[in-house]
Amino acid sequence: MRRFFTPVFYMVLMLCVFSTIHTYAQTAEKILIKGRIIGSKDKLPVIGATVTEQDKDNRFVNAVATNIDGEFAMRIADVSHKLLVTFIGFNSVTLNIGARREFNINLVESTRELTEVQIVAHAQTNNGTGLNIDTRDQTTSTVTLNAKDVEDLAATSIDQAIQGRLPGVDIVSNSGDPGAGMSIKIRGTASINGASNPLIVVDGVPYNTSVPSDFNFATADNQQYADLLAIAPSDIGTISILKDAAATAVWGSRAANGVLIITTKRGQKGPPTISYTFKGTMQKQPSGIPLLTGDEYSTLIPEEYMNATGTTLNTVSVKEFEYDPGDPYYYKNYSQNTDWVKAITKTGILLDNNLSISGGGDKARYFASLGYTNNKGTTISTGLNRLNTRVNIDYFVSDKIKFSTFFSYSHSNTQDLYGGSGNVRGTAFIKMPNSSIYEYDQFGNITPNYFSPASNVQGSYSRIYNPVAMANTALNNSLSDRVTPHFYLSYTVSPVLTLTSDIQFDINNGKNNSFLPQIATGRPFTETNVNRTSVNDFDNYSVDTKT
């Protein structure tokens, strides 16, 4: 029994000794220190000051913050470490710990202390001169449309993109054909000489829109304004409208009807960004006025003649309403139910493709785009094919000197109807619906020839004709190529003064081909107003400078 008790006693004694040594070691590893931090000037406690334990390599080991009374308490790992006290607005203090366990620290206020910091931001806008000013300092009536508002729209030109989106700006299409221009009026017609369209400014330089002296702005020519606004909507950065007469202080008398300011996209600092967008749209003509069928028309005309004259219509001389099966030629050609409006109408398709790349560094930034538009109109034989490209480069020579170049090129091919689709569609509305599109021969057999009589009860060309024959056989195409190199240089004299200089070259070439075949009119070959062809071309070259 004694032999068993002795080993057990020694084992218990050794465990107690080891436990005491371990407890002492743990207590030695973490030493509690505490203190209070006040300001040296006002003697008030510093709330939220950071107290950090740093090792010999100035690495942070532990950290606490002072309470509402400026007091702190923390356990340190090694008395050889240092204590770092920091707070915003005061000089940092570094203390050796050593044998000290309590610290009363006075923080000295920094001589660089800021009593108050205010950050104020004001929205800025372009006042039409290229200078950005605070919106609150803007005294003129200005409205701006950003790129995101227009880049996703199925529009082939800028005027279509902003139509109905800017208050006080009326944009009316001259026709519904692809590539047709629009009449733009800001706050209504403001001129007594008929010139009511605004000044167009692209990237700080007026866009040349010189037209003949007899040009009617109220019914602007399709080609003029189609070429004018041939900038792809996906290339637009911002669109600003100066709507009041104050714009004349910047742009002169040309701005009396307002100013349409367009800025294109610029390159941004960063890696190259490639973007491709595709828009596909189907277009349909809205339902028009209900028209008579051929049978209803053939009943109505004799009745109207009877009501007006009191006698029956002499169908011997007016064979269009005779309906004699014994005369197959007139019977077949004038006993149809033709919807002429439907015959010249189809579903339109718009396919718009745009590829762009942008990027740059500290010195140079770039933006380049390539776009192709294929638009088939809702009237047969109308359409628009356009290829456009743009390259914008910004080069920062120094902190004060900046050089920029803008290069744009557009090629468009517009397919229109002879005399305009409005004339052809107007003829389709009044064309007698009992007549045939294609001609029947004397035996009553249909032929591939269009039925275009020299004259009938409705008259002759140019009052009446076969609209389907006119749309499919006549020709009225316009080709246009426009190149506009633009160079810009700016020098910043001071934060409030910048000197700028612009020069832009505008080269615009166009060609129009038209042809009126005999089958479209039905008139004899011997007349001079059939089988007519014309080729017209123009070349415009201008240089604009601005300083």
Side-chain angles (χ1 to χ4, degrees):
M1 180 70 178
R2 183 178 179 181
R3 290 181 180 179
F4 177 77
F5 176 76
T6 300
V8 171
F9 174 77
Y10 283 117
M11 290 177 63
V12 172
L13 181 62
M14 291 176 65
L15 288 174
C16 291
V17 171
F18 286 143
S19 175
T20 303
I21 294 173
H22 180 69
T23 303
Y24 175 78
Q26 285 184 334
T27 304
E29 288 177 0
K30 296 290 185 179
I31 301 174
L32 178 66
I33 64 173
K34 58 184 179 180
R36 187 168 186 263
I37 301 174
I38 61 175
S40 61
K41 189 174 182 179
D42 54 14
K43 304 303 180 181
L44 295 176
V46 179
I47 304 171
T50 303
V51 182
T52 308
E53 178 188 358
Q54 287 184 319
D55 62 11
K56 61 180 181 179
D57 296 323
N58 294 326
R59 292 177 296 187
F60 294 156
V61 178
N62 192 14
V64 296
T66 57
N67 60 16
I68 193 172
D69 296 320
E71 299 173 341
F72 71 94
M74 67 182 300
R75 292 185 180 276
I76 61 172
D78 195 334
V79 294
S80 64
H81 291 172
K82 296 180 181 180
L83 211 61
L84 175 65
V85 181
T86 59
F87 191 70
I88 298 176
F90 292 87
N91 293 328
S92 301
V93 176
T94 303
L95 302 171
N96 294 321
I97 298 176
R100 297 178 62 180
R101 298 298 178 263
E102 292 188 7
F103 296 84
N104 291 315
I105 305 171
N106 293 334
L107 291 183
V108 179
E109 296 180 358
S110 174
T111 57
R112 294 175 296 178
E113 177 188 8
L114 297 177
T115 57
E116 184 179 12
V117 176
Q118 291 185 351
I119 300 176
V120 180
H122 297 289
Q124 291 190 328
T125 185
N126 192 317
N127 66 349
T129 65
L131 299 178
N132 292 325
I133 63 175
D134 291 347
T135 302
R136 64 178 184 176
D137 297 331
Q138 179 77 18
T139 59
T140 60
S141 179
T142 305
V143 60
T144 301
L145 198 65
N146 294 319
K148 291 184 178 180
D149 299 327
V150 299
E151 61 185 7
D152 295 331
L153 300 176
T156 59
S157 62
I158 293 177
D159 46 4
Q160 294 179 6
I162 64 178
Q163 189 175 20
R165 289 174 174 81
L166 296 174
V169 181
D170 297 327
I171 302 178
V172 181
S173 176
N174 297 324
S175 78
D177 296 329
M182 292 192 176
S183 177
I184 305 175
K185 295 181 178 64
I186 298 177
R187 286 186 171 176
T189 303
S191 175
I192 62 174
N193 61 2
S196 59
N197 283 273
L199 174 67
I200 312 295
V201 178
V202 179
D203 288 326
V205 176
Y207 214 65
N208 183 27
T209 59
S210 59
V211 291
S213 58
D214 58 349
F215 184 78
N216 186 357
F217 282 89
T219 57
D221 177 76
N222 293 352
Q223 191 61 33
Q224 290 286 351
Y225 281 98
D227 291 342
L228 166 66
L229 300 176
I231 303 173
S234 57
D235 290 345
I236 300 172
T238 59
I239 301 175
S240 299
I241 302 289
L242 306 182
K243 298 194 292 183
D244 57 12
T248 58
V250 179
W251 299 105
S253 60
R254 293 181 298 175
N257 297 313
V259 183
L260 175 63
I261 300 177
I262 301 166
T263 59
T264 56
K265 291 181 178 178
R266 319 297 304 165
Q268 302 296 327
K269 182 179 178 181
T273 302
I274 300 176
S275 175
Y276 172 75
T277 58
F278 170 78
K279 304 172 193 173
T281 305
M282 297 184 66
Q283 303 167 330
K284 291 184 67 68
Q285 283 278 356
S287 300
I289 302 172
L291 302 176
L292 297 176
T293 65
D295 295 338
E296 293 170 340
Y297 181 79
S298 301
T299 303
L300 176 65
I301 295 301
E303 289 181 354
E304 287 183 343
Y305 186 83
M306 171 66 77
N307 294 335
T309 63
T311 60
T312 59
L313 181 65
N314 184 7
T315 57
V316 175
S317 59
V318 186
K319 290 183 174 294
E320 290 85 353
F321 300 100
E322 185 179 14
Y323 295 104
D324 181 10
D327 189 349
Y329 181 82
Y330 278 96
Y331 179 74
K332 287 289 186 178
N333 285 313
Y334 289 102
S335 63
Q336 307 298 318
N337 287 285
T338 303
D339 187 340
W340 290 101
V341 176
K342 183 178 180 180
I344 64 169
T345 302
K346 66 174 184 177
T347 300
I349 298 176
L350 170 61
L351 304 176
D352 186 45
N353 302 268
N354 189 268
L355 177 66
S356 66
I357 181 172
S358 64
D362 293 330
K363 283 290 186 180
R365 297 168 190 175
Y366 58 88
F367 172 83
S369 68
L370 176 65
Y372 176 72
T373 301
N374 183 12
N375 189 189
K376 300 298 182 183
T378 56
T379 302
I380 58 176
S381 301
T382 61
L384 169 68
N385 299 95
R386 188 178 67 214
L387 176 70
N388 58 272
T389 183
R390 176 172 293 273
V391 178
N392 293 344
I393 300 175
D394 297 318
Y395 184 73
F396 299 87
V397 181
S398 65
D399 294 338
K400 294 186 176 182
I401 301 176
K402 175 186 175 182
F403 175 76
S404 300
T405 180
F406 314 76
F407 177 85
S408 65
Y409 167 75
S410 65
H411 169 80
S412 62
N413 181 5
T414 305
Q415 301 94 43
D416 198 2
L417 301 183
Y418 193 92
S421 66
N423 292 335
V424 175
R425 188 165 288 272
T427 301
F429 273 101
I430 64 173
K431 178 73 172 177
M432 52 196 308
N434 64 328
S435 61
S436 174
I437 297 177
Y438 295 96
E439 186 177 19
Y440 288 83
D441 60 20
Q442 66 270 27
F443 303 107
N445 301 317
I446 193 169
T447 68
N449 303 322
Y450 289 108
F451 181 53
S452 299
S455 64
N456 59 20
V457 68
Q458 282 193 305
S460 61
Y461 180 83
S462 62
R463 181 185 184 277
I464 201 70
Y465 50 83
N466 186 328
V468 178
M470 181 66 73
N472 285 328
T473 62
L475 179 68
N476 186 17
N477 288 353
S478 298
L479 298 175
S480 176
D481 292 278
R482 190 164 195 171
V483 182
T484 54
H486 175 193
F487 303 96
Y488 168 83
L489 180 66
S490 69
Y491 177 73
T492 303
V493 180
S494 67
V496 296
L497 178 61
T498 301
L499 302 179
T500 64
S501 179
D502 293 81
I503 181 171
Q504 176 175 284
F505 303 91
D506 191 350
I507 306 169
N508 189 9
N509 301 322
K511 184 178 181 180
N512 178 266
N513 299 320
S514 63
F515 174 64
L516 179 62
Q518 183 274 337
I519 191 62
T521 65
R523 302 303 300 170
F525 284 94
T526 55
E527 293 188 3
T528 58
N529 61 347
V530 299
N531 288 332
R532 303 178 61 180
T533 184
S534 65
V535 178
N536 302 316
D537 60 74
F538 65 89
D539 299 286
N540 292 333
Y541 179 82
S542 64
V543 179
D544 293 293
T545 60
K546 181 170 72 73
T547 302

